[in-house]
Amino acid sequence: MVDKKKTSVPFEFYFGPFAERRVAALHINQKRRNLFFTVTDLTGSVMGAISAKPFAANRKKRTAPHIIELLMRRLLNVLKAYRVNVIRLFLKVAHKRILKPVQFALRGSGLAVPYAMDLLPVAHNGCRAKKVRRLS
């Protein structure tokens, strides 16, 4: 029987074609009063993710500006470790008060944000209902 050894190859993230301009994506999701921040490379591989749950046990306080500031500090450390210069921002957040601390932290960090895309689904009352069948 042949002994097959698994070789561990370090995973390489893809930051774009230019070495000096490293691009990553920051996804901000809100689900049931909890915030999720995820940093990915351009192929969608996750570099780092964090939730507001460890910082505040109370659900109402998870979206507070000081909690968001703590989350952004942690994520900025991840981005500095990977030497990322440019951030693409993808938002799936209902409240605009969550965006203010995020914008403030990104402005102060020196990262370039070329665009921010809002991915929040727009409610449209669904498809039209079937016609009621009348029996005579």
Side-chain angles (χ1 to χ4, degrees), residues 30-36 52-53 55-64 67 97-98:
Q30 181 184 15
K31 293 183 181 176
R32 296 197 68 220
R33 293 218 180 196
N34 198 3
L35 281 175
F36 298 97
K53 187 175 180 180
F55 295 99
N58 189 354
R59 279 191 180 168
K60 291 180 182 177
K61 294 183 181 177
R62 288 182 191 168
T63 58
I67 300 295
R97 68 186 174 105
I98 294 169

Side-chain angles (χ1 to χ4, degrees), residues 37-53:
F37 289 76
T38 309
V39 179
T40 64
D41 67 346
L42 294 182
T43 61
S45 301
V46 176
M47 295 165 31
I50 195 166
S51 166
K53 187 175 180 180

Side-chain angles (χ1 to χ4, degrees), residues 15-124:
F15 295 109
F18 306 108
E20 69 277 353
R21 185 174 177 228
R22 297 169 68 96
V23 182
L26 174 62
H27 301 269
I28 303 174
N29 294 329
Q30 181 184 15
K31 293 183 181 176
R32 296 197 68 220
R33 293 218 180 196
N34 198 3
L35 281 175
F36 298 97
F37 289 76
T38 309
V39 179
T40 64
D41 67 346
L42 294 182
T43 61
S45 301
V46 176
M47 295 165 31
I50 195 166
S51 166
K53 187 175 180 180
F55 295 99
N58 189 354
R59 279 191 180 168
K60 291 180 182 177
K61 294 183 181 177
R62 288 182 191 168
T63 58
H66 65 281
I67 300 295
I68 297 171
E69 190 176 323
L70 291 173
L71 290 168
M72 286 304 295
R73 270 195 221 144
R74 287 247 178 127
L75 283 178
L76 290 174
N77 289 337
V78 169
L79 293 173
K80 284 179 187 174
Y82 286 109
R83 298 186 318 267
V84 173
N85 304 3
V86 180
I87 285 288
R88 295 179 179 176
L89 196 58
F90 296 100
L91 306 165
K92 205 169 182 182
V93 181
H95 302 291
K96 297 297 179 192
R97 68 186 174 105
I98 294 169
L99 300 180
K100 290 292 183 188
V102 171
Q103 291 172 348
F104 183 74
L106 288 175
R107 252 188 247 129
S109 68
L111 294 171
V113 183
Y115 67 89
M117 189 179 292
D118 192 11
L119 301 174
L120 191 66
V122 178
H124 58 83

